[in-house]
Amino acid sequence: MSSQKPLASLSLDADNKWSYLKTHGDPGWEGFPSFLDILVPRVLDFLAQRKLQITFFVVGQDAALEKNHDALSAIAAEGHEIGNHSFSHEPWLHLYDREKIEDEIREAEEHIARVAGQRPVGFRGPGFSFSDATLEVLQKRGYLYDASTFPTYLGPLSRLYYFLNSHLNADELERRRSLFGSFRDGFRPLKPYRWGGKGGLLEIPVTTMPIFRIPIHLSYVLYLSTFSTAVAVGYFRTALGLCRSTGVSPSLLLHPLDFLGEDDKVGLDFFPAMKLRADKKLRLVDDVIAAYCEEFQVVSLREHARHVIEVSHGKALEYGSSDPAPTASVSVNAESELEH
Ligand SMILES: [Zn+2]
């Protein structure tokens, strides 16, 4: 029965406490404080209960530290995919030259392979950052897919909100200027495509609500739930309905803070959703994931990518460049694959 459902993927960006502090410009990140010991058993338990195998995008710096090894190897031991989320988790990665980008990707790869026993085949840029150089490096290193694009019109608003209470100086704000993308990112395709046309690296975008291009990832739904749980779940179900009716196989994104609450005392109080208790969050995550599994067969991004490649065999998945201008190729591409 479940095999009749369309495919969808689920991933968790394993951003650690230090990377939130670092991006936000807060002190104390240099010691790489970690909440993986609290987070990982909780998430693994949640996924095991629902028989889900997903993708965890892990930061190389975390894999390099002994204190995180048990948590990270437990993820791999449960059969989840481990993707590469860069070494230093710097959301301005796309501003670096090719050599530095390659160092970031290679170093993360090596540490992840050592701890998890699997070499990553998928990449998600920190803060949804990507560039032509990043895509070239990934392709050269034999990656199966990239999952760094986030086609939403709301990027600039998220940025404003995120930095409203930060302690960043003008230089630091400038470096973060393009975080979360620009308004133009809202024009990027929602369905998977190949960068540069045939033979290019496969891109699996983080799904936003079809047509409206507003976020549907768990952190956003949790944010809505601070106003009304019913509205939040209704919003998510509407998004899934639109995915079904427009033929989008969604790729849903989770974050650590979807599973951690104010009672976990991990800090990070600048996030509005950190005012909620963990059990309240878990109830909402449970509702949302149950709705997701009702409509779709939920797999890792690696499986999602393999499926896209299989069904698109012989068909060109084309989309020219990293320029998100709304050209005709976008609409052609947006309708061209996964229709079956
Ligand atoms: Zn991240």
Side-chain angles (χ1 to χ4, degrees):
M1 190 62 181
S2 64
S3 61
Q4 303 300 312
K5 296 176 188 173
L7 213 68
S9 49
L10 185 59
S11 58
L12 182 140
D13 290 358
D15 302 329
N16 208 346
K17 179 172 178 175
W18 64 267
S19 64
Y20 286 113
L21 295 173
K22 181 179 175 182
T23 305
H24 197 247
D26 286 8
W29 67 267
E30 297 89 342
F32 303 110
S34 175
F35 50 47
L36 295 179
D37 280 349
I38 307 172
L39 172 80
V40 170
R42 194 174 293 173
V43 177
L44 291 183
D45 193 42
F46 178 89
L47 296 171
Q49 282 175 25
R50 289 152 188 84
K51 297 188 170 46
L52 290 172
Q53 289 197 321
I54 71 163
T55 304
F56 286 74
F57 285 99
V58 166
V59 177
Q61 175 66 70
D62 282 319
L65 294 171
E66 179 73 35
K67 65 181 175 185
N68 299 316
H69 283 187
D70 286 351
L72 296 178
S73 56
I75 298 172
E78 295 269 312
H80 299 289
E81 179 194 2
I82 312 270
N84 185 338
H85 199 32
S86 82
F87 185 81
S88 313
H89 201 279
E90 295 184 336
W92 43 91
L93 178 71
H94 55 289
L95 304 177
Y96 292 159
D97 64 24
R98 190 189 155 124
E99 200 182 335
K100 195 157 181 200
I101 289 171
E102 180 141 22
D103 287 349
E104 274 281 321
I105 292 173
R106 182 184 41 75
E107 264 191 82
E109 229 173 73
E110 288 168 0
H111 287 289
I112 289 168
R114 195 166 44 81
V115 176
Q118 52 175 287
R119 191 183 159 276
V121 297
F123 180 80
R124 175 168 290 143
F128 308 114
S129 61
F130 67 94
S131 62
D132 287 340
T134 310
L135 298 167
E136 279 166 32
V137 168
L138 293 173
Q139 186 149 30
K140 183 190 133 195
R141 300 188 70 77
Y143 275 67
L144 181 64
Y145 68 89
D146 175 77
S148 304
T149 57
F150 184 39
T152 181
Y153 305 120
L154 288 192
L157 270 182
S158 310
R159 181 172 61 242
L160 180 70
Y161 188 85
Y162 190 67
F163 295 120
L164 221 48
N165 298 310
S166 71
H167 311 288
L168 299 163
N169 64 35
D171 279 356
E172 290 168 327
L173 279 170
E174 179 60 24
R175 285 175 95 184
R176 289 156 176 78
R177 193 169 53 84
S178 54
L179 285 192
F180 310 116
S182 68
F183 178 77
R184 280 153 57 91
D185 284 333
F187 294 111
R188 292 185 187 284
L190 273 185
K191 293 183 182 181
Y193 54 91
R194 284 196 185 277
W195 292 102
K198 207 173 180 205
L201 185 67
L202 181 68
E203 177 68 29
I204 302 192
V206 173
T207 306
T208 52
M209 190 182 282
I211 303 162
F212 302 101
R213 301 301 179 98
I214 40 184
I216 61 167
H217 56 277
L218 250 298
S219 305
Y220 192 76
V221 179
L222 269 164
Y223 169 69
L224 293 179
S225 80
T226 60
F227 305 103
S228 157
T229 306
V231 167
V233 174
Y235 172 86
F236 186 73
R237 285 189 178 276
T238 302
L240 294 187
L242 282 170
C243 286
R244 288 292 294 257
S245 62
T246 56
V248 169
S249 278
S251 186
L252 183 66
L253 169 64
L254 301 168
H255 280 109
L257 304 189
D258 303 337
F259 293 85
L260 298 171
E262 52 98 8
D263 46 320
D264 288 310
K265 308 263 179 277
V266 296
L268 306 174
D269 301 333
F270 51 85
F271 285 103
M274 285 314 279
K275 292 184 177 66
L276 298 174
R277 286 182 55 83
D279 56 352
K280 182 162 194 260
K281 286 186 170 185
L282 276 162
R283 274 199 299 279
L284 185 83
V285 176
D286 183 34
D287 284 351
V288 165
I289 297 300
Y292 200 46
C293 294
E294 222 171 84
E295 297 277 340
F296 296 96
Q297 184 193 345
V298 178
V299 298
S300 67
L301 268 161
R302 181 175 54 204
E303 293 310 308
H304 192 167
R306 284 178 181 156
H307 179 80
V308 171
I309 289 166
E310 204 180 290
V311 302
S312 69
H313 193 67
K315 286 194 245 169
L317 296 180
E318 285 182 30
Y319 180 68
S321 72
S322 51
D323 179 357
T327 59
S329 66
V330 175
S331 53
V332 168
N333 180 71
E335 303 306 324
S336 69
E337 26 60 45
L338 281 181
E339 284 172 3
H340 115 151

